[in-house]
């Protein structure tokens, strides 16, 4: 008797502890990344508490503009949810539309952040080496911005692969994994915005 095993997408069939390998890998990556962001935020808090001349964020940073940027990023999480929902219903066109909207939200976020950095550096004279506030501000927002940039690239890869027919109602785990990453990036920004801009 001849036995044939067909595995068109083996990464979706391989499991670790009962969960798809890709999802477990992403959760492990996000856990390690959460520790990194946690340490950066804790360092920011420790330096801020230990400094007698820490500037008031609202006197330096553009809070309304960053609040708008935060809103844009939160909206991009909504479009990510809609993208996953679309493909789970077999709607490839909907997946591509909402993935593109999510990537556009991320790109808009990066554009506004670049505008803010340009103003802070060129107009206000802030530099990484100026003081502890500048060092922690640019480190935290820059590290997060790098994650958003990687997320936008990741989403565009999903967009183009969807156009090649890689995802269906039954085969969409990679879209879900991309969603996990994107929601993590959004959640981290809410923490950064709260600790660095508002408190």
């Amino acid at each position: 008797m001849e036995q044939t095993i067909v595995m068109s997408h083996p990464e979706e069939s391989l499991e670790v502890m009962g969960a798809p390998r890709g999802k477990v890998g992403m959760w492990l990556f996000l856990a390690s990344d959460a520790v990194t962001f946690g340490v950066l935020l804790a360092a920011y808090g420790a330096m801020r508490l230990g400094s007698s001349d820490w500037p008031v964020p609202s006197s330096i940073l553009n809070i309304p503009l960053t609040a708008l940027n935060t809103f844009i990023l939160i909206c991009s999480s909504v479009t990510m949810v809609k993208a996953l929902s679309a493909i789970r219903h077999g709607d490839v066109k909907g997946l591509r539309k909402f993935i593109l909207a999510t990537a556009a939200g991320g790109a808009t976020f990066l554009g506004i952040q670049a505008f803010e950095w340009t103003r802070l550096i060129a107009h206000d004279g802030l530099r990484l080496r100026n003081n502890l506030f500048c060092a922690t501000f640019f480190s935290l927002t820059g590290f997060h911005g790098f994650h958003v940039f990687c997320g936008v690239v990741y989403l565009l890869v999903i967009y183009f692969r969807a156009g090649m027919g890689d995802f269906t109602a039954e085969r969409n785990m990679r879209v879900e994994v991309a969603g996990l990453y994107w929601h993590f990036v959004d959640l981290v920004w809410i923490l950064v915005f709260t600790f660095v801009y508002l408190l």
Side-chain angles (χ1 to χ4, degrees):
M1 185 188 299
E2 203 175 302
Q3 196 174 24
T4 306
I5 299 174
V6 178
M7 294 177 70
S8 57
H9 286 265
E11 70 281 351
E12 296 203 10
S13 59
L14 293 176
E15 294 189 347
V16 177
M17 296 180 294
R21 179 184 66 172
K23 196 184 292 186
V24 172
M26 181 56 77
W27 276 115
L28 290 173
F29 169 74
L30 295 181
S32 66
D33 226 22
V35 170
T36 305
F37 274 109
V39 168
L40 286 171
L41 285 169
Y44 174 87
M47 285 186 269
R48 182 174 182 171
L49 288 173
S51 174
S52 57
D53 60 345
W54 199 269
V56 177
S58 60
S59 66
I60 299 171
L61 306 174
N62 189 334
I63 307 296
L65 179 65
T66 309
L68 170 66
N69 216 15
T70 302
F71 177 73
I72 290 168
L73 205 59
I74 290 169
C75 289
S76 75
S77 253
V78 174
T79 55
M80 187 69 232
V81 169
K82 292 181 99 40
L84 182 58
S85 176
I87 195 58
R88 284 183 170 167
H89 289 91
D91 181 7
V92 176
K93 190 175 178 181
L95 165 66
R96 297 190 84 212
K97 176 178 74 174
F98 287 118
I99 282 286
L100 199 57
T102 306
T108 303
F109 176 89
L110 290 173
I112 292 174
Q113 189 173 59
F115 171 80
E116 180 188 29
W117 272 36
T118 301
R119 185 187 63 79
L120 291 171
I121 294 167
H123 182 266
D124 298 337
L126 268 66
R127 300 287 187 278
L128 191 66
R129 65 181 181 274
N130 282 14
N131 52 43
L132 289 175
F133 170 77
C134 290
T136 52
F137 170 79
F138 285 117
S139 297
L140 265 169
T141 58
F143 191 53
H144 179 268
F146 174 71
H147 279 72
V148 175
F149 174 77
C150 291
V152 170
V153 172
Y154 191 0
L155 292 170
L156 291 176
V157 169
I158 295 288
Y159 173 81
F160 288 114
R161 291 194 60 181
M164 295 172 2
D166 279 8
F167 307 113
T168 65
E170 297 77 28
R171 197 177 65 241
N172 53 59
M173 190 265 297
R174 287 186 176 185
V175 179
E176 183 180 353
V177 169
L180 289 174
Y181 178 84
W182 195 254
H183 297 315
F184 171 80
V185 166
D186 288 2
L187 176 61
V188 166
W189 178 252
I190 291 170
L191 294 174
V192 171
F193 178 60
T194 302
F195 279 95
V196 176
Y197 288 80
L198 300 182
L199 293 181

